[in-house]
Amino acid sequence: MFPRPIEQSAPAVQWIYKIALPVALVLWLLPLLGVAATSVRPASDLAQGNYFGIPSYLAFENYADVFRNTPMARYILNSFIVTIPTVIGAVALSLMTGFALAVYRFKGNLILFFMFVAGNFVPFQILMVPVRDLTLSLGMYNSYHGLALFHIAFQTGFCTLFMRNFIKALPNELIEAARVEGVAEWRIFWFIVLPLMRPAIAALSVLVFTFIWNDFFWATVLTSSPDAQPITAGLSSLNGQWVAAWHLVSAGSILAALPPVLMFFLMQKHFIAGLTLGAVK
């Protein structure tokens, strides 16, 4: 079935296309456009209160100054050091737990699955104090591995739900045929299930990468110095009590948004395939 031309649609649909859609697009892009405009506004304009007017000139040097005058390179490196192991750990762990919950029948399977699902509905804010105290007692406060381990723990519930549902949708005849042939369980997982899960792995990796890279809450709770702070916490520290370098914060925000966007476009084909897998028969 091909889409109907907009000219042949009902007047209400044409109104949505001609008015509502552009307005929604502008409202959605307005914050990004504001940040982009501030990122090339000179510091002198901001000091004079010229926040929304025409800038005196386009200060593209703000993007260089954010690296020269702030630990931006260190913040970006910290984000990669925390995000990449988190993605690998959360996806690998959820693959195994999702396989066990989807393939094997045992007492308490459904209850255990509901526990993973219920964990997604616990507000992270109520865990702030006990998690921070736990990191302090374990000596993991303000460290890469402490932040990464807690991210893996908090992402495992959602990732397990995601993987379990994808594995559950795979043809069970493939696994049963392999068992009849005497194939070991770990070989079934590695050589049969895992190759079929590549679109799901790609989709989940993009989602988890974006979640962790953009995380601000745990970055500020579990880190306190530029040696371990990721990009989100680092950007908030660029503003002092008396000085607000909004031009540098805006330039850093644009740079911080590039890795998730690039990863999405690089994995776009697999990401869409993973999200739509099983949508049609």
Side-chain angles (χ1 to χ4, degrees):
M1 179 180 296
F2 295 97
R4 176 185 298 180
I6 190 65
E7 293 79 7
Q8 301 178 9
S9 302
V13 177
Q14 295 185 24
W15 180 86
I16 293 175
Y17 174 76
K18 295 179 180 180
I19 299 178
L21 185 60
V23 170
L25 183 62
V26 170
L27 292 176
W28 181 63
L29 292 177
L30 192 59
L32 178 60
L33 295 175
V35 173
T38 306
S39 68
V40 294
R41 190 177 294 274
S44 57
D45 283 14
L46 297 176
Q48 296 171 7
N50 183 13
Y51 298 105
F52 306 105
I54 299 175
S56 55
Y57 66 95
L58 296 180
F60 290 102
E61 64 271 13
N62 290 341
Y63 288 91
D65 290 341
V66 77
F67 285 99
R68 285 196 297 260
N69 302 332
T70 68
M72 178 60 62
R74 182 67 187 183
Y75 293 146
I76 294 176
L77 178 62
N78 293 344
S79 289
F80 278 112
I81 293 176
V82 171
T83 304
I84 293 176
T86 300
V87 172
I88 296 174
V91 172
L93 188 60
S94 63
L95 273 171
M96 292 182 285
T97 54
F99 178 78
L101 292 173
V103 174
Y104 301 118
R105 297 180 180 178
F106 55 89
K107 188 176 182 180
N109 182 306
L110 195 59
I111 296 176
L112 187 60
F113 174 64
F114 284 156
M115 291 177 63
F116 279 105
V117 175
N120 296 316
F121 298 97
V122 177
F124 290 161
Q125 291 80 1
I126 67 175
L127 302 175
M128 177 178 65
V129 175
V131 167
R132 186 179 183 275
D133 291 343
L134 181 60
T135 57
L136 287 170
S137 61
L138 295 177
M140 295 191 299
Y141 180 75
N142 196 42
S143 63
Y144 300 130
H145 59 279
L147 188 56
L149 284 175
F150 279 97
H151 274 313
I152 293 173
F154 290 127
Q155 292 296 326
T156 299
F158 168 74
C159 294
T160 299
L161 169 65
F162 192 93
M163 288 298 184
R164 184 258 188 190
N165 290 339
F166 270 95
I167 297 176
K168 197 76 173 177
L170 296 178
N172 191 54
E173 292 78 7
L174 294 175
I175 298 176
E176 294 298 331
R179 287 173 176 168
V180 171
E181 296 294 332
V183 181
E185 293 295 321
W186 72 268
R187 294 179 68 88
I188 293 176
F189 171 75
W190 189 261
F191 293 105
I192 297 177
V193 174
L194 200 58
L196 297 175
M197 294 295 295
R198 287 177 182 174
I201 294 172
L204 187 61
S205 298
V206 173
L207 291 175
V208 174
F209 185 93
T210 305
F211 294 159
I212 304 305
W213 185 274
N214 294 332
D215 173 73
F216 177 75
F217 181 77
W218 291 115
T220 54
V221 170
L222 300 180
T223 61
S224 60
S225 69
D227 293 334
Q229 282 183 329
I231 186 68
T232 49
L235 285 175
S236 66
S237 66
L238 296 183
N239 281 334
Q241 182 177 3
W242 310 109
V243 179
W246 290 113
H247 59 300
L248 298 182
V249 174
S250 299
S253 299
I254 296 296
L255 294 172
L258 293 179
V261 173
L262 291 176
M263 183 174 183
F264 172 78
F265 281 108
L266 290 175
M267 306 286 288
Q268 182 178 10
K269 178 180 177 182
H270 300 288
F271 178 77
I272 296 175
L275 292 183
T276 58
L277 185 64
V280 294
K281 295 293 184 181

